[in-house]
C-alpha cells in the first residue's frame, strides 16, 4: 500500500485550493484596486477589474489548465477560516526541458508579512519539483519588489539574469531580475 507522508496542499497557516466562482471574484476584484499589490504581483500595467471581469479571467485560466496543460493555478487560503488570501501559479511549463515559471501573491495588505508567502512558496516548490517533476523553476521579479527578492533568495534561488532598466514604473526605470532554482538544489535544502 502506498504511504505518502507529505501533505501536498497544506502548510501550518495556509492551504492551496481551487477557484470558487461564487465568492472569489468579489475578493480578487478588490485586490485589483490596490495598485501596490498589482505592481508587486504582475509585470503588466495595473488596472482595476470588476468581479465579472475576474470571473471571466477564472474561466480562461481553467480552460488553459484543462487544454494546454502548462498552467497550475492555486488559490491560497487561510487555514483558520478558509478565506481567500492569495494565489500561486506554476506557469509557462516547457515539459520537454522540465522548466516552469512561478508567481505568487498575497492579496490584502493586512495579510502580507505574516509568513503566508513563505509557506505558499514552500508548497509551490514541493508541487513543482515533487509532483510535476520539473528540473528547474524561474521567478521574474522587478527590482523594486524587495520582499520578493528576499523571499526567493531565502529559498535558495540564484540570480541568473538582470535585465537592466527593463521596466518603467512612475517614470523610474527598474531592473527585472530572473531567479532560478534547480530540483537538485531544492532537494539538498529540503534535507538540511
Amino acid at each position: 500500500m502506498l504511504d505518502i507522508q507529505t501533505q501536498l496542499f497544506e502548510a501550518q497557516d495556509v492551504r492551496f485550493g481551487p477557484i470558487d466562482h461564487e465568492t472569489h471574484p468579489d475578493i480578487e476584484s478588490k485586490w485589483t484596486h490596490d495598485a501596490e499589490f498589482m505592481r508587486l504581483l504582475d509585470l503588466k500595467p495595473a488596472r482595476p477589474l470588476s468581479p465579472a471581469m475576474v470571473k471571466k479571467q477564472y474561466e480562461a485560466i481553467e480552460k488553459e489548465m484543462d487544454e494546454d496543460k502548462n498552467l497550475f493555478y492555486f488559490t491560497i487560503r487561510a487555514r483558520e477560516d478558509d478565506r481567500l488570501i492569495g494565489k500561486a501559479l506554476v506557469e509557462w511549463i516547457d515539459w520537454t526541458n522540465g522548466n516552469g515559471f512561478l508567481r505568487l501573491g498575497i492579496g490584502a495588505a493586512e495579510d502580507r508579512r505574516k509568513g503566508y508567502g513563505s509557506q505558499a512558496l514552500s508548497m509551490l516548490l514541493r508541487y513543482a519539483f515533487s509532483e510535476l517533476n520539473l528540473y528547474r523553476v524561474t521567478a521574474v521579479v522587478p527590482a523594486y519588489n524587495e520582499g520578493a527578492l528576499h523571499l526567493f533568495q531565502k529559498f535558495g534561488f540564484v540570480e541568473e539574469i538582470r535585465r537592466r532598466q527593463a521596466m518603467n514604473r512612475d517614470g523610474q526605470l527598474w531592473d527585472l531580475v530572473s531567479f532560478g532554482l534547480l530540483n537538485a538544489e531544492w532537494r539538498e535544502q529540503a534535507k538540511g
Side-chain angles (χ1 to χ4, degrees), residues 59-70:
E59 291 165 2
I61 288 166
E62 289 178 331
K63 182 178 180 185
E64 183 178 343
M65 287 173 60
D66 191 45
E67 292 177 2
D68 297 343
K69 310 279 193 261
N70 68 354

Side-chain angles (χ1 to χ4, degrees), residues 130-141:
S130 292
E131 191 71 11
L132 300 179
N133 200 30
L134 295 180
Y135 177 75
R136 64 170 284 123
V137 293
T138 302
V140 179
V141 180

Side-chain angles (χ1 to χ4, degrees), residues 9-75:
F9 301 117
E10 294 201 17
Q12 179 179 337
D13 300 309
V14 297
R15 68 169 47 103
F16 282 164
I19 295 168
D20 178 338
H21 287 272
E22 299 305 313
T23 61
H24 291 175
D26 288 333
I27 296 167
E28 192 163 343
S29 172
K30 290 177 183 149
W31 298 347
T32 69
H33 290 75
D34 178 351
E36 179 185 7
F37 170 72
M38 294 301 291
R39 288 174 164 192
L40 293 175
L41 177 70
D42 217 332
L43 303 179
K44 296 180 280 188
R47 69 184 186 121
L49 301 175
S50 69
M53 293 166 80
V54 171
K55 195 168 192 172
K56 222 174 172 180
Q57 281 186 345
Y58 288 162
E59 291 165 2
I61 288 166
E62 289 178 331
K63 182 178 180 185
E64 183 178 343
M65 287 173 60
D66 191 45
E67 292 177 2
D68 297 343
K69 310 279 193 261
N70 68 354
L71 168 66
F72 292 84
Y73 180 103
F74 301 100
T75 60

Side-chain angles (χ1 to χ4, degrees), residues 24-186:
H24 291 175
D26 288 333
I27 296 167
E28 192 163 343
S29 172
K30 290 177 183 149
W31 298 347
T32 69
H33 290 75
D34 178 351
E36 179 185 7
F37 170 72
M38 294 301 291
R39 288 174 164 192
L40 293 175
L41 177 70
D42 217 332
L43 303 179
K44 296 180 280 188
R47 69 184 186 121
L49 301 175
S50 69
M53 293 166 80
V54 171
K55 195 168 192 172
K56 222 174 172 180
Q57 281 186 345
Y58 288 162
E59 291 165 2
I61 288 166
E62 289 178 331
K63 182 178 180 185
E64 183 178 343
M65 287 173 60
D66 191 45
E67 292 177 2
D68 297 343
K69 310 279 193 261
N70 68 354
L71 168 66
F72 292 84
Y73 180 103
F74 301 100
T75 60
I76 304 171
R77 299 165 120 149
R79 283 187 64 179
E80 71 176 349
D81 56 9
D82 204 39
R83 69 190 158 79
L84 178 67
I85 61 169
K87 55 188 173 179
L89 298 82
V90 182
E91 59 187 350
W92 304 327
I93 298 172
D94 170 6
W95 292 108
T96 302
N97 297 302
N99 296 319
F101 284 76
L102 305 182
R103 254 190 329 141
L104 67 95
I106 303 299
E110 61 269 14
D111 289 325
R112 295 181 210 142
R113 309 207 189 311
K114 292 185 174 181
Y116 298 152
S118 292
Q119 291 178 46
L121 181 56
S122 180
M123 287 191 300
L124 199 59
L125 289 171
R126 185 169 57 233
Y127 190 82
F129 289 135
S130 292
E131 191 71 11
L132 300 179
N133 200 30
L134 295 180
Y135 177 75
R136 64 170 284 123
V137 293
T138 302
V140 179
V141 180
Y144 59 76
N145 189 342
E146 293 178 9
L149 295 173
H150 293 298
L151 178 65
F152 288 113
Q153 289 168 338
K154 177 176 113 176
F155 276 82
F157 280 75
V158 175
E159 182 178 324
E160 296 177 330
I161 300 168
R162 181 173 287 260
R163 293 181 52 213
R164 296 173 303 130
Q165 299 182 2
M167 176 169 261
N168 186 341
R169 286 279 158 94
D170 295 326
Q172 185 173 348
L173 295 170
W174 297 90
D175 293 353
L176 276 179
V177 183
S178 291
F179 287 101
L181 183 67
L182 304 179
N183 189 319
E185 293 168 337
W186 173 78

